[in-house]
Amino acid sequence: MRGRFALLAALGAAALSCLLSAASAQPDEYGAGLEKRSPGVWPDRVYHWYYNGANHPAWLGDDEARAWVQEAARKWEVCGVKMQYEGETDRAPMRMDGRNVVGWRDVLPRGARGITVGPAARGVLVERDIAFSSGREEFHRYPRLLKKVLVHEFGHAIGLTHSSACNDVMTLAADCPRADPATLPLFPTGHDLARCKALYP
Ligand SMILES: [Zn+2]
């Protein structure tokens, strides 16, 4: 287990973390220009998720933060997966408790913008929690960057790994030249969708 995953490994879960920038780039099992095999899918084609709004970015209101997250989730429904919002929860994300919780943390391990974590068994996803980093000044400056990260992590939550194409939603930032925040994709690209539909034919 590589160092950047050590903390998450301590949680007993596989992790997909999305690095800050090329400056912190290092090859990992989900990136480095290779599209790794998916850990699994939701066999009923439904991702049931709960939202915990605690620690959301200070510059976003409660309702707006929730709406942004809900909107990001829905963007994968074109893949044929139901992104079923089940309501709010007080449970914290990244705690393996059998419930998919999506929420915020001020700071994430290794400078990640977002982390999706959870076990899978024999090609079936068991749990996928998402934590977004809320304290980042870059998200305040470039809200589009946060919106892209929201969509990206939901992609992991339904089983996608990182894409090798730098203009995709599922790209690993550390593998690509720094993108202009104004041109970041806010929807799954054709390539993202093709990869998703390969998982959910
Ligand atoms: Zn990622």
Side-chain angles (χ1 to χ4, degrees):
M1 187 65 62
R2 290 182 183 25
R4 58 181 279 219
F5 289 130
L7 184 151
L8 294 159
L11 297 172
L16 296 157
S17 78
C18 308
L19 288 179
L20 170 57
S21 71
S24 55
Q26 54 181 288
D28 73 27
E29 57 187 307
Y30 298 107
L34 295 171
E35 294 178 357
K36 296 300 183 182
R37 192 157 160 238
S38 169
V41 298
W42 297 104
D44 56 356
R45 308 176 74 103
V46 184
Y47 175 62
H48 297 270
W49 62 283
Y50 295 78
Y51 177 68
N52 184 336
N55 306 310
H56 68 74
W59 52 273
L60 264 180
D62 289 345
D63 292 344
E64 200 173 14
R66 185 191 313 100
W68 282 30
V69 173
Q70 289 173 322
E71 182 185 12
R74 283 194 296 267
K75 289 177 179 177
W76 287 103
E77 294 205 330
V78 291
C79 180
V81 180
K82 177 96 180 120
M83 307 297 278
Q84 183 67 46
Y85 174 58
E86 301 287 2
E88 304 221 23
T89 183
D90 290 334
R91 298 192 195 186
M94 297 168 68
R95 187 176 302 159
M96 297 296 98
D97 56 6
R99 178 175 285 197
N100 300 319
V101 176
V102 178
W104 306 87
R105 283 197 174 185
D106 279 349
V107 178
L108 290 173
R110 307 288 292 186
R113 289 167 168 155
I115 288 180
T116 301
V117 58
R122 292 179 294 281
V124 173
L125 296 175
V126 175
E127 180 172 351
R128 293 268 115 169
D129 283 14
I130 303 174
F132 303 111
S133 178
S134 58
R136 308 181 79 88
E137 175 55 29
E138 63 174 354
F139 285 163
H140 191 193
R141 207 170 337 133
Y142 306 114
R144 188 183 180 106
L145 175 59
L146 173 56
K147 288 188 170 185
K148 185 224 171 184
V149 171
L150 300 180
V151 182
H152 177 106
E153 297 305 328
F154 276 107
H156 286 319
I158 60 173
L160 274 89
T161 56
H162 286 131
S163 163
S164 61
C166 280
N167 60 350
D168 279 355
V169 162
M170 291 315 297
T171 221
L172 177 66
D175 285 349
C176 295
R178 206 159 179 80
D180 176 358
T183 64
L184 291 169
L186 297 181
F187 290 88
T189 64
H191 184 241
D192 285 317
L193 260 189
R195 295 181 68 234
C196 187
K197 286 183 173 172
L199 299 178
Y200 296 93

